[in-house]
Amino acid sequence: MDLRRSDLVSGISVAAFGLYVTIESSRLAYVSEYGPGPGFLPLWLGIGLLILAVCLMVSHLVRPAAESGGKSASAVAMGRVLSGWLALMLAVFLLPRIGFSLSLALLTVFLIVALEHRSRWTAIGVGFGLALGFYLIFVFALGLSLPVGPWGF
């Protein structure tokens, strides 16, 4: 599938999902006694998805075919996308076993080293800095809990 046609297919798919989210969330209460209700965030996420999908489809229709070059997605690019998705699924699988912070750090390190080909030290710094940032914001500042592993973090 060439990149130009994949934009249209992606736009249609995202628009269908956004429409589904918008319709389903409209059945929930938009506001509650204390502020936004359970339908507030999904409704606006669905609307946002619809807007972005329309932008993607319009850019497909407006952009000339020569601009996209008629290139098809290479096997290397598809392999990178697939490895990113598999890494995300592995991180989700490991989340209850090793905790959110370590799972997020390992996922970030993998994505930076394997997919972006950056240095390991940069990846480790970003991964553990991101995990620490999430911990400080959600656990320390907001008082929320994140899944913890056997080591307590």
Side-chain angles (χ1 to χ4, degrees):
M1 175 182 306
D2 67 45
L3 293 176
R4 192 166 144 72
R5 194 172 75 199
S6 65
D7 283 350
L8 182 62
V9 172
S10 298
I12 292 169
S13 301
V14 171
F17 181 67
L19 184 63
Y20 172 75
V21 169
T22 303
I23 290 170
E24 289 298 315
S25 65
S26 68
R27 296 179 182 159
L28 300 171
Y30 185 74
V31 293
S32 72
E33 181 180 341
Y34 302 105
F40 179 82
L41 182 63
L43 177 70
W44 286 105
L45 287 175
I47 291 170
L49 284 172
L50 281 169
I51 291 169
L52 293 174
V54 168
C55 289
L56 184 62
M57 290 185 288
V58 166
S59 74
H60 162 78
L61 297 172
V62 172
R63 181 178 32 181
E67 184 179 313
S68 68
K71 298 177 186 174
S72 63
S74 70
V76 173
M78 294 303 288
R80 290 179 64 174
V81 170
L82 181 60
S83 64
W85 273 104
L86 291 175
L88 178 62
M89 294 301 109
L90 180 61
V92 169
F93 174 76
L94 291 174
L95 189 109
R97 291 159 181 79
I98 64 173
F100 177 83
S101 296
L102 189 56
S103 178
L104 176 66
L106 291 174
L107 174 64
T108 304
V109 168
F110 173 78
L111 292 175
I112 292 172
V113 170
L115 300 184
E116 291 297 319
H117 305 292
R118 306 283 184 196
S119 77
R120 289 185 177 117
W121 292 113
T122 300
I124 290 170
V126 171
F128 285 97
L130 188 61
L132 178 64
F134 267 82
Y135 180 83
L136 290 175
I137 291 170
F138 288 100
V139 177
F140 186 72
L142 298 175
L144 301 173
S145 63
L146 295 172
V148 295
W151 304 284
F153 58 88

